Amino acid sequence: MKKIIWQIAKLFFLLFAISIITFLLMKLTPIDPVSSYLGADSNVTQEQYDYLVKVWGLDQPSIIQYFNWLKGALSGNMGDSFIYNKPVFELISKAASNTFMLMLTSWLLSGIIGFILGIVAAAYHGRIIDQIIQKISYLFASMPTFWFAILMLMFFAVTLGWFPVGMSAPIGVIEKDVSLWHRIHHMILPAMTLSILGISKIALHTREKLIDVLNSEYFLYSKVNGEKLWEFIRKHGIRNILLPAVTIQFASISELFGGSVLVENVFSYAGLGNITKIAGVKGDMPLLLAITLVSAVFVFVGNLCANILYPIIDPRIREGMYNDR
C-alpha cells in the first residue's frame, strides 16, 4: 500500500514539475498567441485584440496565469484551446486514441522483431547474418525519423500506391462511415515507419546481452554435456536476456512518443503529434500543457508496467522484495 501511495505521489510531483517547466518555456518564446490566432493578414482593431487578450487571461501576470490554470486543472478543467476554441480534453481524447493505437502497434512490433533479430545475431555471432543485422541496425539507428518517414511515404504511398498518402481516414468520408479497415489501412505505413526505427536499439542490446551469456562458463559446461545451441538459448538464454530487453523496451516509450510526433506530421496523421505541432507553433498554452502532461503519464505508466513485470519475469526479484520486508 505504501508503494502505491509513493508511486501516486511521484506521479503528481512529476506532473507538477513538468507543468511549471512547460509554462515557463512557453512564456520565454517570442510567439504571441493572439497574433498567431488572428493571422498576419488580420484587420482587427486594437480593441478587438485587447478583448481576446483579456478573454484568454493573457493580461494578467504570468504567475497568476499559471495558478489560475493549476486551479482549474486540479478541479478537472484543463481549459479551452486558444486555436480550436474547444475544451482541451475533447481535443486530446479524440487525438490520443489514434496516437495510442499507432504507438502500441509500433511498440509491440519493434520489441518483438528487435528481440528476435538480436537473438539470431548473437546465435550466429561473427557470421554474415550477424554482420547484416548489425549494419542494418546501425543504419536505422542513425537515420532521422522525419527523413525516413518521407522516404516511406514516397516509395510505398506515392510510387507503389499501396497505402494512402496521408491522414488517419479517407478524405471526404464522414466519421460515422469510416470503417475499422479504413483506420488500419491508414495506420499501417506510419506504424511500419516507427517500428523499423525502433527495432535497432532492442536488437543490438539483445545481441550484446546474449553474447555475454554464450561466453559464460555455464554455456561451455552445457555444451560439453551435449546441449545444443538453440536448446540452450530456449531454456536458459532467453530468460537471462528478457529482463534487460523489457527495461530497454519500456524505456523507449518516451522516444517513441517523440518519434510519433514527427511521423504524424509527415503523414498528416490525426493524432497528438499533429495538434502538438499546431499548439507549439501557435502558442496554444492550455492545449500544449495538457498534451505534455498526457505524454508524461504515458511514460510514467510504461515505467510502472516495467517495474510490475520484473518480479514476474525474474522470481529472484520477487524474493528480494519479500526479503526486504
Side-chain angles (χ1 to χ4, degrees):
M1 187 64 182
K2 289 182 179 180
K3 289 187 176 181
I4 296 176
I5 296 175
W6 173 240
Q7 292 294 335
I8 294 175
K10 282 195 339 186
L11 176 60
F12 276 103
F13 178 78
L14 175 67
L15 296 179
F16 177 67
I18 288 176
S19 67
I20 293 177
I21 294 172
T22 305
F23 184 86
L24 290 176
L25 290 175
M26 286 296 294
K27 283 298 180 181
L28 291 174
T29 62
I31 300 174
D32 180 9
V34 178
S35 299
S36 299
Y37 174 75
L38 296 174
D41 300 329
S42 176
N43 295 320
V44 298
T45 63
Q46 185 63 39
E47 289 76 13
Q48 292 172 321
Y49 179 92
D50 294 337
Y51 174 76
L52 277 177
V53 171
K54 184 175 181 180
V55 169
W56 290 350
L58 300 176
D59 57 331
Q60 299 177 348
S62 297
I63 187 70
I64 301 299
Q65 292 181 40
Y66 175 76
F67 278 107
N68 286 339
W69 173 85
L70 182 62
K71 181 180 178 182
L74 291 175
S75 62
N77 180 17
M78 300 287 286
D80 294 337
S81 168
F82 294 160
I83 306 301
Y84 296 96
N85 197 27
K86 293 180 179 179
V88 295
F89 268 138
E90 180 182 337
L91 294 169
I92 290 178
S93 60
K94 186 176 181 180
S97 59
N98 290 333
T99 297
F100 178 75
M101 289 306 300
L102 175 62
M103 288 181 59
L104 180 62
T105 304
S106 306
W107 184 77
L108 289 174
L109 288 176
S110 62
I112 294 172
I113 297 174
F115 189 69
I116 294 173
L117 289 178
I119 292 176
V120 173
Y124 297 99
H125 176 51
R127 302 181 188 178
I128 184 66
I129 189 171
D130 176 34
Q131 296 174 11
I132 292 174
I133 292 175
Q134 282 192 81
K135 289 178 180 179
I136 293 176
S137 297
Y138 285 126
L139 175 64
F140 286 121
S142 60
M143 192 174 295
T145 302
F146 71 91
W147 185 75
F148 182 65
I150 293 173
L151 290 181
M152 295 285 284
L153 182 66
M154 292 174 60
F155 184 70
F156 288 103
V158 178
T159 304
L160 298 179
W162 292 355
F163 303 103
V165 176
M167 312 299 290
S168 59
I171 300 175
V173 179
I174 59 177
E175 188 173 359
K176 67 177 183 179
D177 293 334
V178 178
S179 65
L180 178 61
W181 166 243
H182 285 147
R183 298 191 182 280
I184 294 175
H185 192 212
H186 281 257
M187 187 185 69
I188 290 175
L189 196 53
M192 281 176 54
T193 303
L194 278 176
S195 300
I196 293 173
L197 292 174
I199 287 173
S200 302
K201 181 180 291 186
I202 187 70
L204 293 172
H205 186 79
T206 301
R207 174 186 176 276
E208 292 298 324
K209 291 297 181 181
L210 185 54
I211 287 175
D212 291 340
V213 174
L214 295 179
N215 287 333
S216 64
E217 294 181 357
Y218 181 67
F219 172 66
L220 295 177
Y221 176 78
S222 300
K223 191 175 180 180
V224 169
N225 288 326
E227 192 169 25
K228 302 298 183 182
L229 172 64
W230 285 104
E231 184 180 0
F232 175 83
I233 292 175
R234 180 176 59 85
K235 290 182 178 180
H236 310 288
I238 292 178
R239 179 176 296 181
N240 282 277
I241 64 175
L242 189 57
L243 192 61
V246 168
T247 303
I248 292 294
Q249 183 66 0
F250 276 96
S252 67
I253 292 179
S254 58
E255 296 180 13
L256 185 64
F257 183 83
S260 70
V261 172
L262 298 173
V263 170
E264 286 179 12
N265 279 283
V266 172
F267 289 97
S268 299
Y269 192 81
L272 287 177
N274 195 27
I275 62 175
T276 299
K277 180 199 70 173
I278 296 174
V281 172
K282 298 289 187 180
D284 195 338
M285 180 76 74
L287 182 56
L288 193 61
L289 277 170
I291 293 172
T292 306
L293 296 183
V294 168
S295 62
V297 172
F298 271 161
V299 177
F300 183 87
V301 171
N303 293 330
L304 183 62
C305 290
N307 291 333
I308 294 174
L309 287 174
Y310 287 163
I312 299 175
I313 297 173
D314 192 342
R316 292 173 298 180
I317 297 178
R318 183 167 61 248
E319 294 173 2
M321 293 169 58
Y322 291 143
N323 292 335
D324 291 341
R325 293 177 185 176

